[in-house]
Every structure is written in C-alpha cells, then in structure tokens.
Amino acid sequence: MGTAKRLPVSFLLMLLGIICLSLALHYWLSDRNAVMRALFTVQAPIARLSAKCSEGAPDWLGEMTSHGIVRLKALSTQVAFVDEQGKLSHCETGWKSTMLLSEMVDQDTRFRYGSLTKPITAAKVLDLVKEEKLTLQSALDDLFSMPEGTGSVGDVTVGQLLSHRSGIRGQIFVNNMTPVCPYALSDLISSGNVGSVGDFQYSNLGYCILGEVIAVATGRSYRSAVESSYYLSERNIGYVQYDEAVDEVERDFRFNDFYGRNLKGRFDYDAISSTAGMSGSASAYALLLRDLIKGAAPDFFYSGDCDSSVFKKCYGYAFYEYSPVSEKAYQIKEGYLPGASGVAVINENREIFVWLGNSDTDNAAAGQNMKGFLAELAKTRF
C-alpha cells in the first residue's frame, strides 16, 4: 500500500486562517456590538496607559480615570476637579476617534453632556425666581396665559417641574417625529394629563417645558437666555446635532442595544436644548458649576428628610443627594445620550468632580456601575 501524502503545513495554516477570518466576519456582521464588547477588555488597558493629568493634579483624580474606564465602560474620557480654593485639575484618556490612529483627547475636547444640561436650566429658572420674574409656585396656565379650566397640566408649577414631581406624561426623545414640546405646548397644557403629582418621576419633557418657561419669562429663546447669563460660547459649551461636531469626541455605541453608528438618535435637537442638548468639556462644566452654585445654593441642592443611602431617591431642583458611605453625602447629576455618558458630583465642601465618557454606561438604567464608580470616589479624599 502506498503511503498517504501529508498536507503541507502552509496549506493547513492557510485553511485555519480562512476559518478564523470567516468566523470573525460572521460575528462582525451578525452582532458587531458583541465583537466590540469582547474587544473592550483588550482596549481598556491601552486606554488606561494613555491617561495624562494636569500638573499638580491629585493622585486620586488619575485613579478615577481608571475606574471610569473599567466601571463606566468608556475608553475616551475626561475628569475635572475644582477644589475649595477654586483651583482646577483635570485628566484625560483615549483618542478622539479611532484608538491609536487619531488625535488624543485633550482638555478642550467636547463630549455630550446629556442631562448634565438640566442643572444649567435649573440655575436659570432659580435666577428668574430671585429676579421675581416668576415663582416656584407659578402655574403653567398663568405663565402661558391659558384660559381658566385648561386641565391638570395647567395647574403644574415651576417647582414641581424642577424637582421631577409634576406628574406630566410624555416624551421628547422621539425618532423622526415632532415632539409635543415645544411645538404644541398649548395643546399639551390644555388637553394633556398628569399622573401622581408630588411623587418623583424623572421627566425630560418637564425640563423641555422649563426651557419654554425661561423663554416666556425673558422674552428671548432658551439658548439666547442662558447664553446671556452664563456666557456658554466663551466656555466652548455648545449644542449637539445628530452627527458629532469637529471638536467632539466620536461616540461609542457598543454597550447600547438599540442605537448605533447607523442610528445615533434622530431626535429634534432644538427641542431637547434645555433638557439634554449641550456639549463641552469636563473642565468647562466643572468651572461653570463652580460659578452657578455660588448664586443658586442652597436651592440648587436637596435639603429635606430623606434616606440618602438609597440611590436616586432624594432629588432636589437640580441634583439628587446620595451617600455611598455614611460619612459622605454627595450632590449628584448624571447625564446620558446614545453613545455618551457623564456625572457631576459636589461634596459637602462644595468641591466639584466631573467625569465624561464617550460610551453608554453598560445597563445604565439599573445604576449598578454608577454606584460602584461613586463608591470608588468615596474612598478618595473627595
């Protein structure tokens, strides 16, 4: 009998390569996010090695960049810290677009603030209260000159909207549709309905309405009103659109099961201006907060009888109070948009910490990763 010929090693290696390439292509086409999530464990150490901090930044600030990558699942990040004396320190990780092949994130790179926009809106409302142009008890039917008997929405007050206790139902984050606010606000006030007034129910729609309250009280658009008060453009804080601006970091959708590169969120970005429409750097936001809390505190923060050890229970006019450990109480605001996340934290000394990332926090709604991140922050001197 003849001896069987062995296949050349080079052929076997080529065959193995084709099989591996075919499997990789199959998984890439069938579930790109699953592949990207798997790659995250490889990319995360590289992102951590890319970290750079300003001169004199406290060591713990650099440590929080690592916790942000690992716990909040973002490769491109910024952190900023303003101490009691008003001194700013900052750190950055990652790249503006493709890892290793694009410019690195720097102090001025803009990230999407998401709901970190809301404290800016709240600050402007509280300024108007101080100027006696409206009150926290002002009702919508009075502010918008609606006829009597307009319904339950017309009885909603400014204070209820600020603290997410208005009970107003509705959405503004609607894809390829015109939201009711601000385009049909009179219809909402006259015919809309509310749920349980006084009970906390987070409402993006409520903060859109507050944007229109600001417009009515000042006689100018929301964007113009907050610009004139806080000089946002001078701080390089702007407004987002569907695609990233040239100075914005590219968003990472790998931990989002709905949105992605082909569907980034086709919202009406003018409509969400006052609830989640801004973008800027962590440093710019921290310095803006420093200026805002000088005028707005203590109304800005929660003050009441509430168990602050429970996550997201004690909500004030802009922030919620949370105690990751018994000896520390933080004022916190989180911000999310598809492919972007952030958090601002203020401690009892009115020091400010801001983290921004270019990815959705994995399972953000459950809050476990954010709780873990805040627990790490509580271990520092902050």
Side-chain angles (χ1 to χ4, degrees):
M1 296 180 62
T3 303
K5 291 184 177 180
R6 293 183 179 179
L7 293 173
V9 173
S10 59
F11 176 80
L12 292 174
L13 291 174
M14 183 179 69
L15 181 62
L16 180 61
I18 292 173
I19 293 172
C20 291
L21 183 62
S22 299
L23 286 172
L25 184 61
H26 166 74
Y27 285 113
W28 182 260
L29 294 175
S30 62
D31 194 346
R32 181 178 184 272
N33 275 0
V35 177
M36 294 302 296
R37 289 171 185 171
L39 283 175
F40 184 87
T41 58
V42 178
Q43 294 174 298
I46 301 173
R48 292 171 70 179
L49 288 172
S50 73
K52 55 188 182 299
C53 295
S54 58
E55 184 177 355
D59 291 341
W60 64 265
L61 194 64
E63 294 169 5
M64 291 307 298
T65 65
S66 292
H67 293 309
I69 292 169
V70 174
R71 289 189 175 273
L72 301 181
K73 306 299 184 184
L75 298 172
S76 299
T77 71
Q78 294 174 330
V79 293
F81 167 60
V82 176
D83 64 18
E84 286 185 89
Q85 287 70 46
K87 178 185 175 183
L88 172 71
S89 300
H90 58 89
C91 302
E92 297 82 37
T93 70
W95 288 260
K96 294 180 181 179
S97 183
T98 305
M99 176 175 278
L100 301 175
L101 299 177
S102 64
E103 294 181 18
M104 297 189 73
V105 170
D106 58 35
Q107 181 187 5
D108 299 319
T109 303
R110 288 201 295 146
F111 287 68
R112 298 192 169 212
Y113 286 163
S115 286
L116 293 182
T117 301
K118 289 183 175 69
I120 302 172
T121 300
K124 182 59 184 176
V125 170
L126 293 172
D127 283 346
L128 292 171
V129 170
K130 290 181 179 180
E131 295 167 11
E132 299 184 347
K133 293 184 177 179
L134 51 82
T135 72
L136 294 176
Q137 290 72 43
S138 296
L140 293 183
D141 54 2
D142 294 328
L143 289 168
F144 293 97
S145 302
M146 299 296 293
E148 292 186 9
T150 53
S152 53
V153 174
D155 296 330
V156 166
T157 67
V158 168
Q160 290 168 342
L161 290 170
L162 279 171
S163 58
H164 299 280
R165 291 178 171 84
S166 69
I168 287 181
R169 296 168 174 156
Q171 298 293 329
I172 61 166
F173 288 98
V174 289
N175 282 293
N176 298 312
M177 295 174 61
T178 300
V180 65
C181 178
Y183 306 110
L185 200 52
S186 295
D187 293 341
L188 174 66
I189 295 172
S190 62
S191 60
N193 61 82
V194 299
S196 181
V197 177
D199 292 340
F200 177 81
Q201 182 63 51
Y202 194 87
S203 175
N204 288 307
L205 175 59
Y207 266 72
C208 175
I209 296 172
L210 284 173
E212 294 307 294
V213 168
I214 290 170
V216 168
T218 60
R220 56 204 309 179
S221 71
Y222 167 80
R223 292 188 179 189
S224 175
V226 294
E227 173 65 31
S228 66
S229 294
Y230 310 131
Y231 308 103
L232 300 182
S233 60
E234 293 181 14
R235 303 173 187 266
N236 198 29
I237 295 175
Y239 292 89
V240 300
Q241 294 296 329
Y242 179 78
D243 288 312
E244 293 91 347
V246 293
D247 59 345
E248 278 187 43
V249 69
E250 185 176 295
R251 287 170 284 168
D252 185 344
F253 298 91
R254 76 183 76 194
F255 292 104
N256 193 312
D257 292 326
F258 183 77
Y259 293 103
R261 297 307 306 171
N262 296 323
L263 179 61
K264 303 175 184 179
R266 294 194 178 279
F267 313 128
D268 186 315
Y269 287 93
D270 289 330
I272 68 170
S273 294
S274 60
T275 189
M278 296 183 187
S279 71
S281 69
S283 294
Y285 193 83
L287 292 173
L288 174 59
L289 271 188
R290 179 197 63 185
D291 296 341
L292 292 182
I293 63 178
K294 288 178 181 178
D299 291 338
F300 226 23
F301 306 122
Y302 179 83
S303 59
D305 185 15
C306 183
D307 183 3
S308 62
S309 67
V310 180
F311 194 49
K312 297 186 181 181
K313 181 180 180 181
C314 307
Y315 219 104
Y317 287 148
F319 297 81
Y320 64 86
E321 183 174 299
Y322 175 58
S323 299
V325 292
S326 59
E327 64 271 19
K328 291 186 177 182
Y330 292 150
Q331 300 290 332
I332 300 168
K333 185 73 189 85
E334 299 170 57
Y336 301 100
L337 274 178
S341 54
V343 63
V345 187
I346 302 172
N347 65 19
E348 291 169 307
N349 295 323
R350 296 296 185 254
E351 294 178 315
I352 299 161
F353 170 84
V354 177
W355 176 90
L356 299 176
N358 74 326
S359 178
D360 297 274
T361 300
D362 192 16
N363 196 15
Q368 291 304 312
N369 288 340
M370 183 58 71
K371 287 175 67 176
F373 182 71
L374 294 171
E376 295 293 347
L377 182 62
K379 294 176 184 177
T380 72
R381 65 153 294 274
F382 181 82

